[in-house]
Amino acid sequence: YSFLILFICILYFFLCDVLFVNLIFCLSVFFCIFMFFFFFQAEDGIRDAQESRGLGDVYKRQATPLKHLLRETNQFARIETEAYGNVSARCPELVKQGWQELFRGAETPAGRVEVGEALGLCGPLPDQQSAGEVAGWLEDGLETMVQYGYPYPTEFYNPVPAFPFKVACRRMIQQDTGLGALRSAADVYYNFTGQAGECYQLDLVMRQSQKYRIKMGQQHRLMLEWDETQRGWGYQCCTEVYQPMPTDGRTDFLPPSTPNQTEYFQNCLQTWGVVPRPNWEEMTFMGSDIWEGSNIFLTSGQLDPWRAAAIQTKPEWVRSGSIVVRVMEQAAHHLDLRASNPQDPSSVVAVRREQQASIKQWVEQWYHTHKALM
């Protein structure tokens, strides 16, 4: 392609010269030089001292925030499961047992009464289908306690203790039954300070489950009871934030679920008149090859399930020292961006210092490069 462009440029240059068009002549020379060196550099590596990788190889090695992995694997759920399993291997097993007891109990009127009592609901399950909504309510608590599993108490959505998933896991072991384990998780996340009262209102359970399904890209039909935030998020999930996540119930502890893309798109079209653009978010914000950038600091928390879509390693062939990748041990969602706390793990403290040093260095480099123009 480089030589084809060069040939076209020479031909263009010759025609302009024959016609004695001085302006076009000058533009032609500039065009030839620019096009030749631009394409030649891009394909043959004149800009770089290292051996040429070629455009094809560059694209094969692309490494962006890997949002597509949320849709293609159950890694999100596996990270969540791993957090509980690291407290005790018994906890994921009890949660799996709990789903079986929940769905089996929902099959009969007597079973629905039993499930309601075991989970601390204010009444029996209204029907068999409601078991799925109760499961979503419980899944929300299980996931959020890991995502926001900070080393100190927080009140993002509900008041929870430090490392709430650890507290929940220890209570699960004390109960040592499936439904008892699910109830333990609910009590830590939804009622740690007694704010839910003596029992969980079923309408609130259903509403919270719906919010969770929307957040995880699992539900997209417009519902009358949606508030503005839910409607906005529902629309986003039908446009640029396409992230339905599969689970298998084996390598993770959640009920098995395989998203149906055809149904998903049809629901979006019916509800909003649009269909998702699955790769738009990934390509628009980071592009096809993040390693061609500079001055980027990428961090992930080891506890954060969203780490499943993060860049966690830096390939050896990347020469840029201004792209830094760190995974922080015992850190939850964006903990490095929160205010400092005496309970912060050493990994987060170290990363914050490294971030400050990197930003200072980048600013100084920019200043020295551009100060002559200031």
Side-chain angles (χ1 to χ4, degrees), residues 3-20:
F3 290 103
L4 177 60
I5 294 296
L6 180 60
F7 174 79
I8 294 173
C9 290
I10 293 173
L11 179 61
Y12 187 39
F13 165 85
F14 176 78
L15 292 175
C16 292
D17 190 38
V18 169
L19 295 174
F20 298 101

Side-chain angles (χ1 to χ4, degrees), residues 34-312:
F34 173 78
M35 292 299 290
F36 177 73
F37 277 95
F38 176 80
F39 277 90
F40 197 85
Q41 287 179 36
E43 294 193 14
D44 298 320
I46 286 181
R47 284 179 293 182
D48 305 323
Q50 77 174 72
E51 181 181 353
S52 168
R53 299 195 306 270
L55 286 178
D57 198 30
V58 168
Y59 291 130
K60 284 188 291 185
R61 297 194 204 182
Q62 66 183 358
T64 63
L66 310 175
K67 197 64 175 287
H68 62 278
L69 291 181
L70 295 179
R71 304 186 297 266
E72 297 170 3
T73 74
N74 68 329
Q75 187 62 22
F76 186 99
R78 291 177 67 177
I79 293 173
E80 178 185 345
T81 304
E82 180 183 72
Y84 288 91
N86 286 340
V87 180
S88 171
R90 179 67 176 149
C91 291
E93 295 304 318
L94 285 170
V95 171
K96 292 180 183 180
Q97 180 181 331
W99 304 131
Q100 294 176 1
E101 295 176 6
L102 168 61
F103 290 107
R104 184 170 58 247
E107 294 175 355
T108 65
R112 292 193 283 272
V113 171
E114 180 181 346
V115 167
E117 292 176 350
L119 293 179
L121 305 178
C122 294
L125 299 184
D127 50 46
Q128 184 174 353
Q129 288 69 32
S130 62
E133 298 305 317
V134 172
W137 173 69
L138 293 163
E139 288 177 44
D140 187 25
L142 289 165
E143 184 271 322
T144 308
M145 285 192 287
V146 175
Q147 181 180 168
Y148 297 107
Y150 298 122
Y152 43 78
T154 59
E155 296 186 8
F156 277 110
Y157 302 109
N158 298 300
V160 293
F163 292 121
F165 65 94
K166 294 184 179 181
V167 176
C169 182
R170 296 187 185 106
R171 292 191 180 186
M172 292 179 189
I173 295 172
Q174 292 175 351
Q175 293 295 320
D176 202 35
T177 65
L179 287 175
L182 296 180
R183 169 70 180 273
S184 296
D187 285 349
V188 173
Y189 182 63
Y190 292 109
N191 202 27
F192 187 69
T193 61
Q195 72 272 20
E198 296 182 357
C199 60
Y200 299 108
Q201 298 290 335
L202 278 168
D203 60 332
L204 297 180
V205 168
M206 301 303 176
R207 191 173 300 122
Q208 186 63 37
S209 175
Q210 187 178 83
K211 289 181 179 180
Y212 171 74
R213 299 300 187 194
I214 296 169
K215 179 181 73 171
M216 306 304 288
Q218 297 174 354
Q219 182 163 334
H220 19 275
R221 290 186 183 278
L222 184 62
M223 308 297 286
L224 294 177
E225 61 267 27
W226 281 13
D227 58 30
E228 291 184 357
T229 300
Q230 290 173 277
R231 295 165 81 89
W233 186 243
Y235 179 77
Q236 276 193 297
C237 290
C238 280
T239 50
E240 65 257 19
V241 186
Y242 177 61
Q243 57 187 33
M245 305 177 199
T247 55
D248 64 18
R250 299 187 308 276
T251 59
D252 61 62
F253 67 175
L254 298 179
S257 173
T258 302
N260 185 319
Q261 184 178 32
T262 300
E263 181 182 1
Y264 192 112
F265 277 45
Q266 289 175 344
N267 289 340
C268 288
L269 189 62
Q270 178 181 345
T271 304
W272 302 106
V274 297
V275 294
R277 295 174 289 176
N279 298 318
W280 182 89
E281 182 181 8
E282 192 168 327
M283 291 296 100
T284 298
F285 291 112
M286 301 304 282
S288 61
D289 195 354
I290 189 176
W291 305 119
E292 295 301 314
S294 61
N295 298 0
I296 304 173
F297 205 114
L298 300 166
T299 61
S300 301
Q302 176 241 335
L303 296 175
D304 188 6
W306 294 104
R307 174 168 59 87
I311 295 174
Q312 302 180 56

